[in-house]
């Protein structure tokens, strides 16, 4: 297969079943450094996939490719993604010179942008804060605002790159509940990049482990494991994932974040 001028190639046809995301043999290199080395990934409409992997394995590179932020990917035209894609990053990337409401309405072209934005703000628990400035919000509130901004466009695909990575443990747990509610209400397909094994199990339908630019492990998360109703299954999956991530079993009682 010939390398794309920008260092990216991809091949193979899309699957017969409809997917929100379809990636085939995705390759990305920066100069001589290979970062993604033949990634195949499908995400079904409404499916929640968590992408785990050690630091530097290519998670953000894959997410950027799906987000259309890597123009070499778009140029290749070999990845299928939906029309409406929203991205949430670890830093909320809010516009500091615009209000909370303005941050959500920005870029919404429909005539009822204001009403949509107010509804989205209410959904994330920020009703009444419309006239505040981003700097007047806590870190957790800023991520709520980032979620409202992403969901107001009713994305078919939500890409989230460690969206809760900078939050304290309690806020993080609250944000998990909020994200679950929002996903249940809006039903986008989701790709969540995270270092946190427990976060992945708590949220995802399926967990994909990336290792040195290749998909190393794919594990479904049955609802009983996700909710911890099946405690033994939960612990078994957790251990398997930590092993796949190269974390020794002796460390499994410690907080299960990797790659940091
Ligand atoms: N624009 C770029 N130019 C050169 N190298 C890059 C570029 N973007 C990413 N890389 C390299 O590609 C590799 C993978 O980066 P990436 O950010 O995708 O990893 P990651 O798995 O998301 O890591 P982390 O968990 O630490 O965020 C790294 O070695 C990084 O230095």
């Amino acid at each position: 297969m010939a390398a794309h001028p920008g260092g990216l190639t991809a091949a193979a046809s899309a699957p017969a079943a409809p997917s929100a995301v379809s990636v085939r043999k995705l390759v990305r290199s920066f100069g001589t450094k290979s970062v993604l080395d033949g990634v195949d990934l499908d995400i079904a409409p409404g499916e929640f996939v968590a992408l785990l992997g050690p630091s530097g394995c290519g998670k953000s590179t894959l997410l950027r490719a799906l987000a259309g932020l890597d123009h070499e990917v778009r140029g290749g035209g070999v990845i299928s993604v939906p029309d409406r894609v929203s991205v949430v990053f670890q830093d909320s990337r809010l516009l500091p010179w615009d209000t909370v409401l303005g941050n959500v309405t920005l870029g919404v072209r429909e005539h009822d942008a204001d009403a949509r934005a107010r509804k989205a703000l209410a959904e994330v628990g920020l009703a009444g804060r419309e006239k505040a400035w981003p700097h007047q919000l806590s870190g957790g509130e800023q991520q709520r605002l980032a979620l409202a901004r992403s969901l107001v466009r009713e994305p078919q695909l939500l890409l989230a790159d460690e969206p809760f990575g900078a939050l304290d443990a309690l806020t993080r747990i609250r944000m998990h509940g909020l994200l679950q509610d929002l996903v249940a209400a809006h039903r986008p397909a989701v790709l969540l990049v995270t270092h946190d094994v427990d976060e992945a199990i708590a949220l995802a339908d399926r967990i994909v482990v990336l290792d040195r630019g290749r998909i190393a492990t794919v594990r479904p998360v049955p609802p009983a494991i996700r909710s911890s109703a099946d405690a033994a299954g939960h612990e078994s999956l957790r251990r398997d994932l930590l092993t796949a991530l190269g974390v020794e079993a002796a460390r499994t009682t410690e907080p299960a974040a990797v790659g940091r």
Side-chain angles (χ1 to χ4, degrees):
M1 188 187 312
H4 189 281
L8 186 144
T9 59
S13 55
S19 295
V21 171
S22 192
V23 173
R24 287 291 175 278
K25 304 278 180 261
L26 180 62
V27 174
R28 185 58 159 119
S29 54
F30 294 101
T32 56
K33 180 174 179 156
S34 169
V35 174
L36 296 177
D37 186 18
V39 172
D40 290 346
L41 178 68
D42 290 293
I43 305 178
E47 186 184 23
F48 196 131
V49 173
L51 184 62
L52 278 172
S55 184
C57 72
K59 301 182 297 296
S60 295
T61 302
L62 177 56
L63 183 135
R64 285 175 57 80
L66 295 176
L69 297 171
D70 186 335
H71 297 295
E72 304 301 339
V73 176
R74 288 288 190 200
V78 285
I79 297 177
S80 98
V81 291
D83 293 335
R84 295 193 307 277
V85 180
S86 289
V87 192
V88 182
F89 295 97
Q90 181 169 335
D91 53 330
S92 50
R93 304 194 183 190
L94 301 169
L95 300 177
W97 58 84
D98 210 341
T99 62
V100 163
L101 184 64
N103 267 275
V104 182
T105 52
L106 189 85
V108 181
R109 293 192 184 86
E110 286 80 0
H111 70 282
D112 58 346
D114 191 85
R116 283 174 184 243
R118 289 177 188 278
K119 180 169 173 283
L121 286 169
E123 278 190 88
V124 301
L126 288 177
R129 306 297 301 277
E130 291 83 358
K131 291 181 180 168
W133 301 98
H135 76 269
Q136 295 174 317
L137 303 182
S138 69
E141 287 169 338
Q142 290 183 6
Q143 284 308 82
R144 287 172 185 268
L145 178 50
L147 280 173
R149 186 179 54 181
S150 70
L151 288 167
V152 76
R153 296 185 185 87
E154 290 292 342
Q156 296 147 306
L157 173 64
L158 175 63
L159 300 167
D161 196 348
E162 294 191 67
F164 313 133
L167 303 178
D168 65 86
L170 187 58
T171 305
R172 211 175 159 101
I173 290 167
R174 290 197 175 119
M175 294 298 284
H176 289 170
L178 174 63
L179 182 59
Q180 284 174 315
D181 291 346
L182 294 173
V183 167
H186 295 265
R187 301 303 302 161
V190 182
L191 183 68
L192 170 77
V193 168
T194 179
H195 285 94
D196 185 337
V197 171
D198 295 322
E199 180 168 281
I201 297 175
L203 295 174
D205 299 311
R206 193 157 53 100
I207 298 175
V208 172
V209 179
L210 197 64
D211 184 19
R212 285 162 286 179
R214 290 177 178 232
I215 290 181
T217 306
V218 179
R219 294 292 300 266
V221 186
I225 288 182
R226 194 178 317 128
S227 67
S228 293
D230 176 0
H234 187 281
E235 185 54 25
S236 169
L237 176 60
R238 189 172 183 272
R239 280 176 174 271
D240 287 354
L241 290 168
L242 287 168
T243 302
L245 291 160
V247 180
E248 292 169 24
R251 292 190 55 202
T252 56
T253 53
E254 297 176 12
V258 295
R260 282 284 158 85

